Amino acid sequence: MGDIAKGVLGGGWALVVGWILPAALNLAVFFFAVAPSLRQTAALTRVWPSSASQTALLLLCAAVLFGIVLSALQTPLYRILEGYLMWPRGAYGRGCRRQGARKQRIADLVARPEGRTAVQRALLNEQLARYPADDDQLAPTRLGNAIRRFEEYGHNRFRLDTQVLWNELSAAAPEQARRQVETARTSVDFFVALLYGHAVVAALALLALTSAGAEEPLLIVTAIALCALIPLWYRSAVYATDEWAAAVRAMVNLGRKPLADALGLVLPQQLTEERAMWQLVTRMSRRPYQDAANTAFAPYRAVPPDPHSSVPPPAPGPAA
């Protein structure tokens, strides 16, 4: 029982809170606000429950099913909101320019703190921190930039490309750091799933207006309310990335040394040498093997101690 509880509170908890719960909320809105207007259709008549207990069971099963499907589709769902998928080239370019101009406006306000309280200055710095440090990494949407800032954190600071080495870093990082990343992402997943569900239910409400016996006032109010909430959930997802970014930053900072140890490397003391080492590791992971890699990694390999010598092994030096 302890192992089962640990599994539920681990990866299963993220699935339940991040995807199944918002699916259940959207299904509840559909069942009570939209489905009554569709009960006359043949397809819905066959599956419509005849009792309250059957309704609850159907809602639960549908929520679990849709939650699992949404979780499996989370990568394309995120990429659409980030501006990477299904965005025309022109819209992508305009979005990047608009986000770049917004970042510059915030940076100009931060550079002129006169007349602002400490809280106002902190809020401006918080907004600026939701953009990647490198302007070349700008995405066309606010959510895309809020996520891109911590995707490029490891590479910007240490030349550790977390997009390439994420699985290795996750395996080597402390368990608490991994748990923090998963927990922080769950909040963003919740708002993303809620947003997509609202869009689907609002579309179904408008479609139900064409059916016979449609409750038009209820359907119109439902569609308007859901469409009005979509920007709120999007903004909430952007804000929720702050905790996600902090968790990823902690994983990179705390997981670098365990990762180097797991790879049989010694983490250099100098940051410039460390950046050169992680750049080599990233290249080794992305490119075909070359014999030159053996020489390039030699300064960073752990030297086994000589049992007959009292002299400690030399510290790793820069890459050749």
Side-chain angles (χ1 to χ4, degrees):
M1 290 298 295
D3 293 339
I4 295 176
K6 185 182 296 184
V8 171
L9 295 176
W13 183 251
L15 174 63
V16 170
V17 176
W19 300 100
I20 295 179
L21 178 57
L25 294 175
N26 283 303
L27 283 170
V29 174
F30 173 79
F31 265 81
F32 295 109
V34 180
S37 298
L38 299 174
R39 289 189 61 178
Q40 304 303 321
T41 60
L44 200 59
T45 301
R46 286 194 296 268
V47 299
W48 190 263
S50 58
S51 65
S53 59
Q54 291 181 351
T55 301
L57 180 61
L58 179 60
L59 180 61
L60 176 61
C61 294
V64 172
L65 176 61
F66 282 113
I68 294 174
V69 171
L70 288 173
S71 178
L73 296 173
Q74 60 182 281
T75 297
L77 294 179
Y78 265 93
R79 288 187 176 274
I80 293 173
L81 296 179
E82 291 176 82
Y84 302 138
L85 183 64
M86 299 175 62
W87 277 62
R89 181 177 300 180
Y92 181 90
R94 287 192 299 271
C96 289
R97 289 191 296 271
R98 184 169 59 252
Q99 292 299 316
R102 186 174 184 273
K103 179 186 176 183
Q104 187 59 51
R105 287 196 302 271
I106 298 173
D108 292 340
L109 293 175
V110 170
R112 298 192 301 270
E114 299 83 3
R116 293 185 178 87
T117 66
V119 174
Q120 290 173 329
R121 294 195 298 270
L123 290 175
L124 285 173
N125 280 295
E126 188 178 87
Q127 294 179 39
L128 185 60
R130 295 193 182 107
Y131 285 89
D134 187 355
D135 288 343
D136 291 336
Q137 298 290 333
L138 284 174
T141 68
R142 294 180 62 182
L143 182 61
N145 286 304
I147 293 177
R148 190 60 186 161
R149 58 166 162 168
F150 58 81
E151 288 180 341
E152 60 105 41
Y153 174 81
H155 182 267
N156 181 270
R157 270 66 171 185
F158 308 108
R159 288 297 181 262
L160 171 59
D161 194 332
T162 55
Q163 296 298 97
V164 176
L165 300 170
W166 180 254
N167 288 338
E168 291 87 344
L169 180 63
S170 299
E175 182 180 355
Q176 180 64 26
R178 297 197 303 269
R179 190 180 301 115
Q180 287 176 341
V181 171
E182 183 176 335
T183 302
R185 174 168 181 165
T186 300
S187 299
V188 186
D189 291 342
F190 176 85
F191 291 118
V192 168
L194 206 58
L195 181 155
Y196 276 105
H198 277 25
V200 172
V201 176
L204 291 175
L206 295 176
L207 184 63
L209 289 171
T210 62
S211 63
E215 301 180 19
E216 295 186 0
L218 178 60
L219 292 174
I220 293 174
V221 170
T222 299
I224 293 176
L226 293 177
C227 290
L229 286 173
I230 287 176
L232 175 62
W233 302 143
Y234 182 87
R235 187 180 294 269
S236 298
V238 173
Y239 292 160
T241 60
D242 290 348
E243 187 66 24
W244 190 4
V248 171
R249 185 171 63 246
M251 176 179 280
V252 173
N253 293 336
L254 300 178
R256 287 162 29 242
K257 189 178 187 307
L259 176 59
D261 294 341
L263 295 175
L265 304 173
V266 176
L267 198 67
Q269 297 295 321
Q270 299 297 323
L271 182 57
T272 54
E273 297 173 6
E274 181 184 349
R275 286 164 64 91
M277 185 195 77
W278 289 124
Q279 193 164 17
L280 286 173
V281 173
T282 302
R283 289 176 179 173
M284 185 69 174
S285 301
R286 301 180 65 175
R287 301 178 182 179
Y289 174 77
Q290 299 290 337
D291 292 337
N294 190 46
T295 303
F297 276 105
Y300 305 106
R301 291 200 180 97
V303 179
D306 186 352
H308 304 291
S309 174
S310 60
V311 180

